[in-house]
């Protein structure tokens, strides 16, 4: 007998978008929802009712949501997580599709997104043998701050959609492990509250970007506020945000899923957001406004690195925003190698620090960047994924995995300290080669790929 049942679809209200530009207040006032789609059942909004003729037919989105809830219930224990990629594979299953889309997406064809990572596989090590490296340490100093390791949790928006702890989870794990968390300007709660929860002696850097002239005019006061927070030791200012990159994959997913779960992210991911075009002249003005060391975030050209050093800035973070801004921007590790050489030629490599982020997933990637001249190495998505999968504990484990990998690899390289790492320890002759490689099918067909961590019922 023909039965008619109700089936419901959702549609996201476009009017919900609010342009987030209220000048300097923005960073402090962007409040995200406390209810994480991971932990509450954030079902899609049901607005349009259509008729269907199949009683038992499960809606595609309902099926995905059911599978996701099953994945959350059967998550691999944290003890079975061995690498940062393991966190990624868990996050992909436990996050709502729209949130996974926002985090993982790059711009346009995502060439830079992928090249960021692949570039590291074109660098090989030249280890030294017969050297005692039994007391290997990762201790280091970045911009005058003593730390337990040379990598840091970089700034990213959208943590509340990963976990209700949001940036608190990142802050706490960084504090427990004595590494830097680059506090995002789009922090989901007031920076004062963030600082109040720091561990004794915990130090941070702050990421800042500008939306409009009004915000820039108010900057002296904002810097004064930052200077009054003794834990904030440097400010990283974005120079890669003249426009928002075309996050096409993310847009396509959102258009399709119509899910309420991504609404909290709308404030970060809308192409209508207008950014302010900063110039070298603005940077000069900023240098007059504050005594805090200023690092440019998002430099993508060795000549701009040189300009920044000549301008007396404290450093440059070579980054293409994790492949989310200009697609086909070069992989940061390539620019790092060129920049260090140029700075050295000009005698400007001593009081100017280089940073890098994008595509770093292993301790060995961090070591390669240090060999090529970085003093600090940032990771973004891996910490979002570890936060999404296991909260603060996951972030701490991700840090510990990187530390363990670094210590092991440094011992194998024959070095005992960060300061010993140098360019003679890496072979970069293939770094610039981006062509396709001939596949060895006979070899590949017997190669066993790494398994993902097993979900309990899988
Ligand atoms: C979801 C997401 C949000 C981000 N939000 C910001 C931001 O608000 N400000 C910023 O300077 N960079 C932001 N970034 C860029 C990161 O700071 C960093 O450059 C990038 O994540 C590094 O690449 P990785 O994710 O491959 O490690 C964001 C990156 C991601 C993935």
């Amino acid at each position: 007998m023909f039965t008619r049942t109700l089936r419901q679809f959702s549609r996201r209200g476009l009017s919900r978008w609010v342009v987030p530009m209220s000048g300097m207040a923005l960073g402090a006032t962007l409040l995200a929802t406390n209810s994480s789609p991971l932990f509450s059942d954030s079902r899609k909004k049901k607005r349009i009712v259509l008729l269907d003729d199949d009683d038992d037919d499960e809606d595609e989105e309902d099926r995905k949501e059911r599978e996701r809830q099953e994945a959350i219930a059967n998550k691999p224990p944290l003890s079975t997580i061995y690498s940062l990629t393991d966190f990624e594979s868990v996050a992909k299953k436990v996050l709502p599709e729209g949130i996974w889309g926002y985090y993982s997406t790059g711009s346009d064809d995502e060439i830079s997104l992928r090249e960021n990572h692949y570039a590291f596989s074109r660098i090989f090590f030249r280890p030294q043998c017969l050297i005692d490296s039994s007391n290997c340490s990762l201790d280091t100093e970045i911009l005058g701050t003593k730390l337990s390791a040379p990598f840091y949790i970089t700034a990213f928006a959208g943590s509340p959609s990963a976990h209700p702890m949001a940036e608190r989870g990142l802050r706490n794990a960084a504090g427990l492990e004595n590494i830097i968390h680059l506090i995002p300007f789009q922090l989901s709660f007031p920076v004062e509250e963030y600082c109040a929860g720091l561990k004794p002696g915990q130090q941070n850097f702050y990421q800042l970007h500008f939306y409009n002239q009004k915000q820039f005019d108010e900057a002296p006061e904002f810097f004064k506020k930052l200077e009054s927070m003794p834990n904030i030791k440097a400010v990283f200012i974005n120079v890669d945000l003249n426009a928002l990159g075309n996050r096409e994959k993310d847009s396509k997913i959102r258009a399709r899923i119509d899910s309420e779960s991504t609404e909290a992210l709308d404030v970060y991911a809308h192409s209508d957001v207008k950014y302010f075009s900063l110039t070298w002249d603005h940077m000069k003005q900023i240098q007059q406004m504050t005594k805090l060391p200023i690092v440019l975030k998002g430099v993508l050209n060795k000549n701009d690195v040189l300009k920044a050093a000549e301008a007396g800035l404290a450093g440059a973070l070579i980054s293409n925003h994790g492949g989310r801004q200009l697609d086909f921007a070069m992989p940061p590790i390539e620019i790092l190698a060129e920049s260090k050489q140029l700075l050295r030629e000009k005698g400007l490599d001593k009081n100017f620090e280089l940073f890098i982020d994008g595509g770093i997933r292993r301790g060995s990637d961090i070591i390669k960047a240090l060999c090529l001249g970085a003093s600090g190495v940032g990771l973004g998505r891996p910490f979002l994924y570890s936060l999404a999968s296991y909260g603060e504990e996951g972030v701490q484990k991700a840090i510990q995995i990187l530390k363990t990998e670094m210590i092991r690899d440094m011992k194998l390289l024959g070095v005992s300290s960060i300061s010993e790492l140098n360019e003679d320890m890496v072979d970069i002759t293939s770094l610039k080669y981006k062509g396709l490689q001939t596949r060895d099918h006979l070899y590949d067909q017997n190669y066993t790929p790494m398994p993902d961590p097993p979900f309990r019922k899988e």
Side-chain angles (χ1 to χ4, degrees), residues 177-202:
E177 292 294 327
N178 187 24
I179 66 162
I180 289 286
H181 173 213
L182 181 57
I183 307 170
F185 180 52
Q186 291 186 306
L187 188 64
S188 61
F189 51 92
V191 66
E192 291 83 353
E193 183 190 329
Y194 179 99
C195 292
L198 289 166
K199 305 254 171 299
Q202 185 177 351

mmCIF file of all heavy atoms in Angstrom, residues 177-202:
data_model
loop_
_atom_site.group_PDB
_atom_site.id
_atom_site.type_symbol
_atom_site.label_atom_id
_atom_site.label_comp_id
_atom_site.label_asym_id
_atom_site.label_seq_id
_atom_site.Cartn_x
_atom_site.Cartn_y
_atom_site.Cartn_z
ATOM 1 N N GLU A 177 52.729 22.075 28.911
ATOM 2 C CA GLU A 177 53.917 21.616 28.167
ATOM 3 C C GLU A 177 54.942 22.726 27.936
ATOM 4 O O GLU A 177 55.956 22.507 27.264
ATOM 5 C CB GLU A 177 53.473 21.031 26.818
ATOM 6 C CG GLU A 177 52.685 19.731 26.931
ATOM 7 C CD GLU A 177 53.536 18.588 27.482
ATOM 8 O OE1 GLU A 177 54.734 18.548 27.214
ATOM 9 O OE2 GLU A 177 52.966 17.729 28.204
ATOM 10 N N ASN A 178 54.662 23.909 28.452
ATOM 11 C CA ASN A 178 55.543 25.073 28.276
ATOM 12 C C ASN A 178 55.921 25.334 26.826
ATOM 13 O O ASN A 178 57.093 25.416 26.458
ATOM 14 C CB ASN A 178 56.804 24.948 29.146
ATOM 15 C CG ASN A 178 57.646 26.218 29.111
ATOM 16 O OD1 ASN A 178 57.114 27.303 28.837
ATOM 17 N ND2 ASN A 178 58.932 26.107 29.368
ATOM 18 N N ILE A 179 54.867 25.416 25.990
ATOM 19 C CA ILE A 179 55.097 25.916 24.626
ATOM 20 C C ILE A 179 54.183 27.133 24.430
ATOM 21 O O ILE A 179 53.292 27.398 25.241
ATOM 22 C CB ILE A 179 54.831 24.849 23.534
ATOM 23 C CG1 ILE A 179 53.348 24.448 23.482
ATOM 24 C CG2 ILE A 179 55.725 23.635 23.706
ATOM 25 C CD1 ILE A 179 52.951 23.755 22.194
ATOM 26 N N ILE A 180 54.396 27.840 23.344
ATOM 27 C CA ILE A 180 53.592 29.039 23.053
ATOM 28 C C ILE A 180 52.255 28.657 22.426
ATOM 29 O O ILE A 180 52.184 27.772 21.569
ATOM 30 C CB ILE A 180 54.362 29.963 22.068
ATOM 31 C CG1 ILE A 180 55.558 30.622 22.752
ATOM 32 C CG2 ILE A 180 53.445 31.001 21.430
ATOM 33 C CD1 ILE A 180 55.254 31.727 23.716
ATOM 34 N N HIS A 181 51.201 29.356 22.856
ATOM 35 C CA HIS A 181 49.963 29.373 22.091
ATOM 36 C C HIS A 181 49.832 30.794 21.556
ATOM 37 O O HIS A 181 49.807 31.746 22.325
ATOM 38 C CB HIS A 181 48.761 29.035 23.000
ATOM 39 C CG HIS A 181 47.440 29.202 22.322
ATOM 40 N ND1 HIS A 181 46.301 29.605 22.996
ATOM 41 C CD2 HIS A 181 47.060 29.042 21.033
ATOM 42 C CE1 HIS A 181 45.287 29.674 22.145
ATOM 43 N NE2 HIS A 181 45.719 29.334 20.958
ATOM 44 N N LEU A 182 49.794 30.915 20.242
ATOM 45 C CA LEU A 182 49.609 32.234 19.630
ATOM 46 C C LEU A 182 48.123 32.583 19.761
ATOM 47 O O LEU A 182 47.282 31.998 19.075
ATOM 48 C CB LEU A 182 50.053 32.178 18.166
ATOM 49 C CG LEU A 182 49.970 33.448 17.332
ATOM 50 C CD1 LEU A 182 50.760 34.602 17.959
ATOM 51 C CD2 LEU A 182 50.482 33.190 15.908
ATOM 52 N N ILE A 183 47.827 33.516 20.659
ATOM 53 C CA ILE A 183 46.415 33.819 20.968
ATOM 54 C C ILE A 183 45.763 34.460 19.739
ATOM 55 O O ILE A 183 46.267 35.461 19.222
ATOM 56 C CB ILE A 183 46.306 34.808 22.153
ATOM 57 C CG1 ILE A 183 47.089 34.292 23.360
ATOM 58 C CG2 ILE A 183 44.859 35.074 22.518
ATOM 59 C CD1 ILE A 183 47.231 35.339 24.476
ATOM 60 N N PRO A 184 44.645 33.894 19.264
ATOM 61 C CA PRO A 184 44.032 34.490 18.073
ATOM 62 C C PRO A 184 43.267 35.767 18.405
ATOM 63 O O PRO A 184 42.636 35.871 19.462
ATOM 64 C CB PRO A 184 43.062 33.406 17.595
ATOM 65 C CG PRO A 184 42.723 32.622 18.815
ATOM 66 C CD PRO A 184 43.907 32.708 19.747
ATOM 67 N N PHE A 185 43.324 36.715 17.487
ATOM 68 C CA PHE A 185 42.528 37.941 17.641
ATOM 69 C C PHE A 185 41.046 37.577 17.742
ATOM 70 O O PHE A 185 40.290 38.205 18.474
ATOM 71 C CB PHE A 185 42.797 38.838 16.430
ATOM 72 C CG PHE A 185 42.047 40.133 16.448
ATOM 73 C CD1 PHE A 185 42.094 40.975 17.542
ATOM 74 C CD2 PHE A 185 41.301 40.536 15.342
ATOM 75 C CE1 PHE A 185 41.410 42.181 17.556
ATOM 76 C CE2 PHE A 185 40.618 41.732 15.342
ATOM 77 C CZ PHE A 185 40.667 42.553 16.448
ATOM 78 N N GLN A 186 40.651 36.550 17.004
ATOM 79 C CA GLN A 186 39.251 36.123 17.049
ATOM 80 C C GLN A 186 39.028 35.111 18.182
ATOM 81 O O GLN A 186 38.340 34.102 18.005
ATOM 82 C CB GLN A 186 38.840 35.554 15.699
ATOM 83 C CG GLN A 186 38.777 36.639 14.642
ATOM 84 C CD GLN A 186 38.237 36.150 13.316
ATOM 85 O OE1 GLN A 186 38.738 35.190 12.752
ATOM 86 N NE2 GLN A 186 37.236 36.812 12.798
ATOM 87 N N LEU A 187 39.600 35.413 19.304
ATOM 88 C CA LEU A 187 39.405 34.602 20.507
ATOM 89 C C LEU A 187 37.913 34.595 20.852
ATOM 90 O O LEU A 187 37.248 35.629 20.716
ATOM 91 C CB LEU A 187 40.215 35.263 21.634
ATOM 92 C CG LEU A 187 40.363 34.560 22.974
ATOM 93 C CD1 LEU A 187 41.119 33.254 22.815
ATOM 94 C CD2 LEU A 187 41.129 35.462 23.957
ATOM 95 N N SER A 188 37.414 33.456 21.326
ATOM 96 C CA SER A 188 35.961 33.370 21.514
ATOM 97 C C SER A 188 35.507 33.873 22.883
ATOM 98 O O SER A 188 34.329 33.754 23.222
ATOM 99 C CB SER A 188 35.492 31.929 21.280
ATOM 100 O OG SER A 188 36.104 31.062 22.203
ATOM 101 N N PHE A 189 36.428 34.401 23.674
ATOM 102 C CA PHE A 189 36.052 35.008 24.955
ATOM 103 C C PHE A 189 37.103 36.089 25.244
ATOM 104 O O PHE A 189 38.155 36.122 24.584
ATOM 105 C CB PHE A 189 35.975 33.954 26.075
ATOM 106 C CG PHE A 189 37.189 33.079 26.190
ATOM 107 C CD1 PHE A 189 38.232 33.410 27.045
ATOM 108 C CD2 PHE A 189 37.306 31.920 25.431
ATOM 109 C CE1 PHE A 189 39.363 32.610 27.135
ATOM 110 C CE2 PHE A 189 38.441 31.107 25.520
ATOM 111 C CZ PHE A 189 39.469 31.463 26.378
ATOM 112 N N PRO A 190 36.852 36.971 26.205
ATOM 113 C CA PRO A 190 37.765 38.100 26.387
ATOM 114 C C PRO A 190 39.192 37.670 26.733
ATOM 115 O O PRO A 190 39.406 36.702 27.465
ATOM 116 C CB PRO A 190 37.145 38.884 27.549
ATOM 117 C CG PRO A 190 35.712 38.494 27.541
ATOM 118 C CD PRO A 190 35.664 37.068 27.071
ATOM 119 N N VAL A 191 40.145 38.420 26.180
ATOM 120 C CA VAL A 191 41.558 38.075 26.368
ATOM 121 C C VAL A 191 41.947 38.156 27.860
ATOM 122 O O VAL A 191 42.816 37.425 28.323
ATOM 123 C CB VAL A 191 42.457 38.959 25.464
ATOM 124 C CG1 VAL A 191 42.415 40.417 25.858
ATOM 125 C CG2 VAL A 191 43.869 38.443 25.417
ATOM 126 N N GLU A 192 41.247 39.026 28.598
ATOM 127 C CA GLU A 192 41.513 39.129 30.047
ATOM 128 C C GLU A 192 41.215 37.797 30.727
ATOM 129 O O GLU A 192 41.949 37.337 31.597
ATOM 130 C CB GLU A 192 40.656 40.226 30.694
ATOM 131 C CG GLU A 192 41.021 41.647 30.299
ATOM 132 C CD GLU A 192 40.411 42.092 28.977
ATOM 133 O OE1 GLU A 192 39.801 41.250 28.278
ATOM 134 O OE2 GLU A 192 40.557 43.282 28.637
ATOM 135 N N GLU A 193 40.099 37.179 30.304
ATOM 136 C CA GLU A 193 39.729 35.876 30.884
ATOM 137 C C GLU A 193 40.766 34.814 30.499
ATOM 138 O O GLU A 193 41.141 33.966 31.316
ATOM 139 C CB GLU A 193 38.336 35.470 30.371
ATOM 140 C CG GLU A 193 37.828 34.186 30.972
ATOM 141 C CD GLU A 193 36.571 33.668 30.274
ATOM 142 O OE1 GLU A 193 35.768 34.467 29.762
ATOM 143 O OE2 GLU A 193 36.407 32.425 30.248
ATOM 144 N N TYR A 194 41.234 34.905 29.253
ATOM 145 C CA TYR A 194 42.273 33.968 28.797
ATOM 146 C C TYR A 194 43.497 34.076 29.710
ATOM 147 O O TYR A 194 44.012 33.081 30.210
ATOM 148 C CB TYR A 194 42.651 34.306 27.343
ATOM 149 C CG TYR A 194 43.728 33.421 26.767
ATOM 150 C CD1 TYR A 194 43.400 32.351 25.941
ATOM 151 C CD2 TYR A 194 45.072 33.649 27.057
ATOM 152 C CE1 TYR A 194 44.391 31.526 25.421
ATOM 153 C CE2 TYR A 194 46.065 32.836 26.539
ATOM 154 C CZ TYR A 194 45.723 31.777 25.725
ATOM 155 O OH TYR A 194 46.704 30.963 25.224
ATOM 156 N N CYS A 195 43.935 35.325 29.941
ATOM 157 C CA CYS A 195 45.166 35.531 30.717
ATOM 158 C C CYS A 195 44.972 35.109 32.174
ATOM 159 O O CYS A 195 45.910 34.592 32.804
ATOM 160 C CB CYS A 195 45.607 36.993 30.649
ATOM 161 S SG CYS A 195 46.143 37.430 28.996
ATOM 162 N N ALA A 196 43.763 35.295 32.681
ATOM 163 C CA ALA A 196 43.515 34.937 34.080
ATOM 164 C C ALA A 196 43.673 33.430 34.300
ATOM 165 O O ALA A 196 43.943 32.983 35.414
ATOM 166 C CB ALA A 196 42.109 35.384 34.485
ATOM 167 N N GLY A 197 43.518 32.642 33.254
ATOM 168 C CA GLY A 197 43.606 31.181 33.402
ATOM 169 C C GLY A 197 44.979 30.610 33.080
ATOM 170 O O GLY A 197 45.137 29.393 33.013
ATOM 171 N N LEU A 198 45.969 31.469 32.881
ATOM 172 C CA LEU A 198 47.304 30.957 32.519
ATOM 173 C C LEU A 198 47.986 30.291 33.701
ATOM 174 O O LEU A 198 47.758 30.661 34.859
ATOM 175 C CB LEU A 198 48.180 32.117 32.033
ATOM 176 C CG LEU A 198 47.817 32.702 30.660
ATOM 177 C CD1 LEU A 198 48.516 34.035 30.445
ATOM 178 C CD2 LEU A 198 48.165 31.726 29.549
ATOM 179 N N LYS A 199 48.842 29.350 33.414
ATOM 180 C CA LYS A 199 49.657 28.730 34.471
ATOM 181 C C LYS A 199 50.700 29.752 34.918
ATOM 182 O O LYS A 199 51.112 30.604 34.113
ATOM 183 C CB LYS A 199 50.411 27.505 33.921
ATOM 184 C CG LYS A 199 49.528 26.472 33.266
ATOM 185 C CD LYS A 199 49.372 25.255 34.148
ATOM 186 C CE LYS A 199 48.338 24.303 33.625
ATOM 187 N NZ LYS A 199 46.964 24.776 33.489
ATOM 188 N N PRO A 200 51.196 29.650 36.157
ATOM 189 C CA PRO A 200 52.230 30.596 36.584
ATOM 190 C C PRO A 200 53.430 30.542 35.627
ATOM 191 O O PRO A 200 53.894 29.458 35.277
ATOM 192 C CB PRO A 200 52.636 30.081 37.983
ATOM 193 C CG PRO A 200 51.496 29.232 38.430
ATOM 194 C CD PRO A 200 50.829 28.683 37.210
ATOM 195 N N GLY A 201 53.853 31.695 35.180
ATOM 196 C CA GLY A 201 55.020 31.769 34.285
ATOM 197 C C GLY A 201 54.721 31.495 32.822
ATOM 198 O O GLY A 201 55.603 31.608 31.970
ATOM 199 N N GLN A 202 53.477 31.126 32.515
ATOM 200 C CA GLN A 202 53.156 30.816 31.108
ATOM 201 C C GLN A 202 53.183 32.083 30.250
ATOM 202 O O GLN A 202 52.628 33.111 30.639
ATOM 203 C CB GLN A 202 51.769 30.151 31.012
ATOM 204 C CG GLN A 202 51.436 29.703 29.594
ATOM 205 C CD GLN A 202 50.102 28.966 29.487
ATOM 206 O OE1 GLN A 202 49.474 28.629 30.505
ATOM 207 N NE2 GLN A 202 49.666 28.703 28.279
#
